[in-house]
Amino acid sequence: MQSMVQSVYHSSGLLNIRPHFHDCHQIIFIVKGEVDFCVNNKSLCAAAGDVAIFSRYENHSVRRCSDEYERFVLQIDPAAVNREIPVYSLLTNRPTGFSNVVSTLPQREQIMAIFQQLIYEYNSAQLLANEMAGLLISQLLIAIFRCTSLEIE
């Protein structure tokens, strides 16, 4: 099985980042601090407990709004995403009413645990690590979807 995870890590501190895009899908989970994301000419404020979701080639910039900024970052290989599975619509073919920033406070602890497990699997040589990472990404997207008012189309 092809690994869905191109990169996953925990980081703190950030300089302001000019408009850019990635050749992958990206999910950022903010643990501490506040930032402004600019995407599609719209400024979106995000704080601890929020998730930002960017599709492949989606132009975005980041401006730190607080001294403290801690986050998890996940980059997902678009070739490994099964577009037939509805929950992946957060990454492609987005549902009506989609926002790049989602408050995940009700699921915050679960999402943090998923990111920690993803980092473990990504850095391990465990048997079936890629398969486990794929399952964890599905679980992560379901947890995020449950924090929205979106409907699966």
Side-chain angles (χ1 to χ4, degrees):
M1 174 182 194
Q2 177 180 357
S3 177
M4 290 186 75
V5 179
Q6 283 189 340
S7 172
V8 60
Y9 58 91
H10 175 265
S11 180
S12 60
L14 171 81
L15 300 174
N16 295 333
I17 299 176
R18 294 181 186 188
H20 67 286
F21 60 85
H22 307 276
D23 186 19
C24 60
H25 304 300
Q26 184 177 51
I27 299 175
I28 301 171
F29 175 62
I30 301 170
V31 178
K32 291 182 186 173
E34 292 182 12
V35 293
D36 275 332
F37 292 104
C38 186
V39 60
N40 301 322
N41 295 318
K42 187 165 38 170
S43 180
L44 301 167
C45 185
D50 291 345
V51 167
I53 304 166
F54 303 106
S55 287
R56 177 184 198 188
Y57 302 133
E58 189 166 33
N59 202 26
H60 59 282
S61 64
V62 184
R63 184 177 62 84
R64 188 178 68 196
C65 301
S66 61
D67 291 336
E68 199 172 33
Y69 179 53
E70 182 181 336
R71 75 240 178 244
F72 287 99
V73 179
L74 169 64
Q75 294 182 324
I76 301 170
D77 182 350
V81 171
N82 184 343
R83 297 170 67 117
E84 301 299 316
I85 299 174
V87 74
Y88 288 101
S89 66
L90 291 175
L91 304 174
T92 61
N93 302 324
R94 293 180 166 156
T96 304
F98 171 83
S99 175
N100 290 86
V101 174
V102 176
S103 174
T104 63
L105 288 177
Q107 304 284 333
R108 178 187 168 112
E109 296 304 316
Q110 179 188 14
I111 288 171
M112 191 171 316
I114 294 168
F115 268 100
Q116 290 166 340
Q117 186 68 31
L118 273 166
I119 290 171
Y120 172 79
E121 294 294 336
Y122 180 72
N123 292 315
S124 79
Q126 293 270 354
L127 179 66
L128 302 173
N130 289 341
E131 288 77 0
M132 179 61 85
L135 293 171
L136 289 165
I137 290 171
S138 294
Q139 186 178 2
L140 174 66
L141 292 171
I142 290 168
I144 294 168
F145 220 109
R146 288 178 174 173
C147 293
T148 73
S149 58
L150 301 172
E151 293 187 25
I152 298 204
E153 299 177 355

